């Protein structure tokens, strides 16, 4: 386990990991009862999409948006926006490993920290 975050409503917990098999890079569980809600082989998904040079990546940070979707940062410098339905959007957040993520108070932007650089990404209206 590399990262852990509880949803804004307290109903879900997201766990980020990483490893050579890439089978369980991201899992989301219901807090009440512990039922697995979502499990994604994120590293393999990103590699299959041509975004990685290897079939594995490591989740380094997680942040829940106030509206209930999850931002996931990776050692490869990628950010994935993931909805509990399994819908995913990916973009490059940094040239290096991302160390931390945080949403602005109004949920309009995502802050991405990588080494000594902090970048601010404005979200699309549909994501806010």
């Amino acid at each position: 386990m590399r990262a852990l975050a509880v949803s804004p409503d307290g109903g879900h917990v997201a766990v980020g990991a990483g490893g050579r098999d890439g089978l369980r890079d991201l899992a989301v569980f219901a807090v009440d009862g512990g039922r697995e809600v979502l499990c994604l082989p994120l590293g393999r998904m990103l590699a299959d999409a041509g975004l990685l040079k290897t079939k594995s990546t490591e989740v380094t940070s997680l942040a829940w948006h106030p509206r209930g979707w999850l931002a996931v940062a990776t050692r490869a410098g990628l950010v994935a926006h993931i909805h509990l339905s399994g819908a995913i959007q990916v973009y490059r957040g940094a040239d290096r490993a991302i160390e931390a993520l945080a949403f602005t108070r109004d949920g309009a932007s995502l802050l991405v920290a990588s080494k000594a650089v902090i970048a601010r990404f404005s979200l699309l209206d549909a994501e806010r």
Side-chain angles (χ1 to χ4, degrees):
M1 183 175 7
R2 304 276 188 230
L4 180 74
V6 177
S7 64
D9 66 2
H12 296 92
V13 62
V15 179
R20 293 189 181 144
D21 64 5
L23 295 176
R24 297 180 61 88
D25 296 328
L26 177 70
V28 178
F29 301 93
V31 170
D32 193 19
R35 178 181 56 87
E36 186 175 86
V37 175
L38 182 68
C39 180
L40 295 176
L42 193 58
R44 288 189 182 183
M45 292 171 68
L46 297 175
D48 290 347
L51 299 170
L52 293 177
K53 294 180 181 171
T54 66
K55 290 214 178 248
S56 168
T57 190
E58 185 176 311
V59 172
T60 56
S61 184
L62 301 167
W64 286 93
H65 187 271
R67 286 184 53 198
W69 56 271
L70 187 63
V72 179
T74 70
R75 186 161 304 288
L78 299 172
V79 176
H81 293 189
I82 299 175
H83 298 263
L84 292 182
S85 67
I88 183 171
Q89 297 169 299
V90 180
Y91 59 92
R92 176 145 306 277
D95 291 333
R96 316 176 104 180
I98 296 172
E99 306 291 330
L101 293 174
F103 285 101
T104 56
R105 181 176 289 163
D106 62 4
S109 298
L110 178 66
L111 303 174
V112 176
S114 176
K115 294 294 177 188
V117 177
I118 298 175
R120 181 180 183 148
F121 293 90
S122 296
L123 301 179
L124 302 173
D125 287 339
E127 295 175 310
R128 294 182 187 180

